[in-house]
Amino acid sequence: MKDSELLLILANILLILMAIAIVTGAVRYKRLGYCQKIITLVCLASLLTTLIVKELWKNGVNNHLFFHIYAVVEYVLLAFLYGKAFQNKHIEMFYRLSAVVIISWGLVNALFIQGVEVANSYVTTPSFIIWIASALFFFFRILNELRYEKMEKSALFWINIGVLIYFSGSFV
């Protein structure tokens, strides 16, 4: 089996797992907590972007525009999540303001700086740094406050681990 075939199989498995997460989130949407609803929306945006980008790539069409859009959508959704997670109006205001800045910066970058024909590293790099710092700050805060009796039962704990691993890996 060639490496490209193995990568295609793994990519399809990941798409199926994402679809399962979205269907599960949709079926249980009314019973989900705020964080779980946001993560369901992030998964939906990710799946749609992946499917569109994959189809464009197969047809030889430049697909970077959708990465520009996805980076901003992902940031805004995670800003809502972290804004509520810290339960502090100043921190919530920071995330709202940062979302406006990222949306504006994403538009300026796409239209005037990097353009939509290349990867949007000027937007993703600062957003990745913010999410890594947010995840570390979240862990620092919950360990200091001892807010959770059983952290492993908190959806936010696991979401935060995922955010830290994903954005750290993507940043590198």
Side-chain angles (χ1 to χ4, degrees):
M1 179 180 293
K2 296 180 186 175
D3 288 346
S4 60
E5 291 172 344
L6 180 62
L7 285 175
L8 185 61
I9 291 170
L10 289 174
N12 287 331
I13 290 171
L14 290 174
L15 288 175
I16 291 168
L17 291 173
M18 230 186 312
I20 290 169
I22 293 164
V23 169
T24 303
V27 168
R28 301 186 59 169
Y29 197 77
K30 288 184 180 180
R31 292 184 300 231
L32 296 179
Y34 181 79
C35 297
Q36 295 161 321
K37 288 177 180 179
I38 295 292
I39 290 302
T40 300
L41 293 175
V42 170
C43 288
L44 179 61
S46 179
L47 180 65
L48 290 175
T49 302
T50 302
L51 292 173
I52 291 168
V53 163
K54 190 176 176 184
E55 197 58 38
L56 291 173
W57 177 76
K58 276 195 241 175
N59 293 315
V61 178
N62 187 314
N63 55 22
H64 289 292
L65 169 66
F66 289 94
F67 289 117
H68 283 267
I69 295 167
Y70 176 72
V72 171
V73 168
E74 177 185 61
Y75 189 91
V76 169
L77 289 172
L78 289 175
F80 285 136
L81 182 132
Y82 274 95
K84 294 282 184 201
F86 286 109
Q87 299 175 346
N88 179 305
K89 69 179 183 176
H90 297 296
I91 294 174
E92 188 172 358
M93 186 58 70
F94 164 78
Y95 284 111
R96 285 184 183 180
L97 182 61
S98 72
V100 171
V101 169
I102 288 291
I103 292 168
S104 303
W105 175 235
L107 281 170
V108 168
N109 181 55
L111 296 175
F112 304 111
I113 300 173
Q114 283 186 305
V116 295
E117 298 296 317
V118 297
N120 60 340
S121 60
Y122 293 172
V123 174
T124 56
T125 300
S127 67
F128 288 3
I129 291 169
I130 289 170
W131 296 132
I132 293 167
S134 294
L136 293 173
F137 181 64
F138 176 82
F139 282 128
F140 174 77
R141 191 151 181 208
I142 63 171
L143 290 173
N144 260 355
E145 295 175 357
L146 297 174
R147 190 184 328 175
Y148 300 106
E149 195 169 304
K150 293 187 177 197
M151 278 192 285
E152 71 276 3
K153 293 195 177 202
S154 165
L156 193 54
F157 173 77
W158 291 107
I159 290 168
N160 199 59
I161 286 177
V163 165
L164 184 59
I165 291 170
Y166 174 76
F167 288 107
S168 297
S170 295
F171 182 71
V172 171

